[in-house]
Amino acid sequence: MDANSKLIYSFFRIHRGDQIASEDLRNLRLFYTSFLGANAVLLYEFLHDLIFNKDKYDSTFTYETLSLYLNISIDELNTCRQKLESVSLIETHNDSKESRTVFVLFKPLSSVQMVKNAFIPRLIKNNIGEVNYDRIVNLTNTSTFKNSDSLENISAAFHEMFSLQTEVKSKVTELLVQAGATIKENNSKVWDSSKSYQTQLEMGVIKNSNHYKATKELTCEEFYCQLTNTFILEDSVKEKISKLNSILNLSKITNLAMLYIYLENDKFDFRKTTKLLNEVKKYNYVIDEDTTEKYLHGKYRNDIQLVDAFLKMHSLMNEQ
């Protein structure tokens, strides 16, 4: 049993990271049961019931007692929790200030999101077959947690709980597993941007050779100059950048959105960046910078059409 499987606090608190509806619980049962197992699904639903119609829930019983309520061993409870963590259904944090474990519940993927996901459908098909997977998709095919300095994210990662062993793996799947495991190989095919950064540094434009780190350190105008290798900004461009940043009024998130659009298209695009930021605003994903950044990473990671941009971002995030 690994270190993350044991929790250091006896009592726990539950938050909702998303609004979870009955349709989401249906998607949970239909899509996730085949590879998570019934007990993991039961654990999720039990935690959801505890926080139902509440902003948060503080347990009056210990985590160990939870295993009695579910009629499973404590080891099985820990395994179920880690399975849920590994597919981003819950996050587990240690709150040193409150001396509690904090569980944050996130809603399952919808059928539309599921078919775009790069790896979960493979797990389902490996367990129940492609025909049965298609049946489940057709069945469902219809047309407020805040982080703090006292919380340490100790959630299990996808690659720690599941293996996608097949004779032939798609390039996307290989890269996802590699990214999830944070493996860095000298001959890795994951995008390596160090050469282009070095060239730009020699031109004296860039303040930070790592674009991801620069999103947190530069103003929006400075970051645009770095991203586009521009020396002088025209007033019309300054106005466009100002309008971009006014959407959320979070300069770091504006920079991150600009970077994702740049990585996705190999060039910067004001229109697409505006659309991305408006999407974040429309669906109320703005809680704070950390939560909003997590949403953007999740959006690009879980969409097979956008995952290449996420892998490039992941490479930047893990540069030393």
Side-chain angles (χ1 to χ4, degrees):
M1 187 177 297
D2 61 69
N4 282 351
S5 66
K6 294 184 178 180
L7 302 180
I8 61 177
Y9 301 118
S10 296
F11 292 89
F12 58 91
R13 173 175 294 166
I14 307 173
H15 287 275
R16 276 192 305 271
D18 298 313
Q19 291 298 322
I20 302 168
S22 58
E23 181 181 353
D24 297 315
L25 297 177
R26 180 172 182 249
N27 290 333
L28 172 75
R29 292 187 291 269
L30 286 174
F31 286 119
Y32 291 81
T33 305
S34 64
F35 67 93
L36 290 181
N39 285 337
V41 171
L42 177 61
L43 171 59
Y44 182 96
E45 292 188 317
F46 194 94
L47 294 176
H48 175 263
D49 288 342
L50 291 176
I51 199 176
F52 184 70
N53 283 339
K54 301 181 181 72
D55 292 329
K56 68 177 181 179
Y57 170 80
D58 287 315
S59 70
T60 56
F61 54 89
T62 65
Y63 177 73
E64 287 75 12
T65 304
L66 187 58
S67 67
L68 297 178
Y69 289 158
L70 299 178
N71 194 27
I72 57 178
S73 68
I74 187 65
D75 287 343
E76 176 66 12
L77 176 61
N78 284 324
T79 299
C80 290
R81 171 178 57 80
Q82 289 186 292
K83 286 182 177 180
L84 294 173
E85 292 167 357
S86 67
V87 291
S88 301
L89 288 175
I90 68 170
E91 283 184 356
T92 304
H93 300 260
N94 286 330
D95 188 339
S96 56
K97 183 178 180 180
E98 299 287 339
S99 297
R100 281 182 180 268
T101 300
V102 177
F103 298 126
V104 187
L105 270 62
F106 295 92
K107 65 181 180 181
L109 297 177
S110 67
S111 59
V112 174
Q113 293 170 322
M114 183 65 68
V115 296
K116 294 180 179 180
N117 190 278
F119 44 88
I120 291 182
R122 293 173 63 87
L123 281 173
I124 301 174
K125 292 174 185 178
N126 286 346
N127 281 278
I128 66 175
E130 188 162 355
V131 172
N132 288 322
Y133 168 76
D134 291 338
R135 287 172 178 162
I136 291 176
V137 171
N138 290 333
L139 281 173
T140 60
N141 192 15
T142 60
S143 296
T144 44
F145 167 71
K146 188 172 182 179
N147 213 333
S148 70
D149 293 337
S150 66
L151 299 181
E152 175 192 0
N153 193 336
I154 59 169
S155 304
F158 179 88
H159 72 277
E160 295 173 340
M161 302 303 298
F162 299 103
S163 175
L164 296 176
Q165 298 297 330
T166 57
E167 292 183 2
V168 180
K169 290 184 178 180
S170 68
K171 178 183 177 182
V172 171
T173 301
E174 289 179 347
L175 291 175
L176 276 171
V177 174
Q178 184 181 39
T182 61
I183 296 173
K184 289 187 176 181
E185 299 178 358
N186 293 331
N187 60 348
S188 173
K189 295 183 180 179
V190 176
W191 181 71
D192 183 2
S193 55
S194 58
K195 294 182 180 179
S196 62
Y197 294 156
Q198 185 62 39
T199 301
Q200 291 174 319
L201 273 171
E202 291 171 355
M203 297 179 67
V205 176
I206 295 181
K207 294 187 177 182
N208 191 316
S209 62
N210 182 300
H211 281 338
Y212 172 73
K213 293 178 181 178
T215 64
K216 302 179 180 297
E217 299 173 359
L218 303 182
T219 67
C220 294
E221 288 187 3
E222 290 172 338
F223 186 70
Y224 175 86
C225 289
Q226 169 166 320
L227 204 59
T228 60
N229 203 19
T230 303
F231 289 90
I232 300 175
L233 289 179
E234 297 179 357
D235 289 341
S236 60
V237 176
K238 289 183 179 180
E239 184 178 354
K240 288 181 179 179
I241 296 172
S242 178
K243 287 182 178 179
L244 271 185
N245 194 40
S246 68
I247 296 174
L248 300 179
N249 289 316
L250 296 172
S251 60
K252 295 178 183 178
I253 299 302
T254 301
N255 289 345
L256 186 66
M258 286 197 283
L259 179 54
Y260 258 125
I261 295 300
Y262 177 82
L263 296 177
E264 178 188 349
N265 300 278
D266 293 323
K267 63 179 181 180
F268 179 71
D269 188 303
F270 272 111
R271 183 184 61 81
K272 291 182 178 179
T273 307
T274 300
K275 182 179 179 181
L276 177 59
L277 290 170
N278 280 327
E279 174 191 321
V280 174
K281 183 177 182 180
K282 177 180 179 181
Y283 293 104
N284 298 315
Y285 290 113
V286 183
I287 300 176
D288 54 33
E289 287 181 341
D290 290 339
T291 305
T292 309
E293 178 174 342
K294 183 182 296 184
Y295 164 74
L296 287 174
H297 293 323
K299 172 183 174 66
Y300 276 79
R301 181 183 63 241
N302 293 323
D303 190 326
I304 196 167
Q305 295 179 340
L306 302 175
V307 70
D308 284 343
F310 169 75
L311 293 173
K312 295 174 184 178
M313 182 73 77
H314 187 276
S315 178
L316 295 176
M317 293 168 67
N318 286 279
E319 278 186 1
Q320 299 299 322

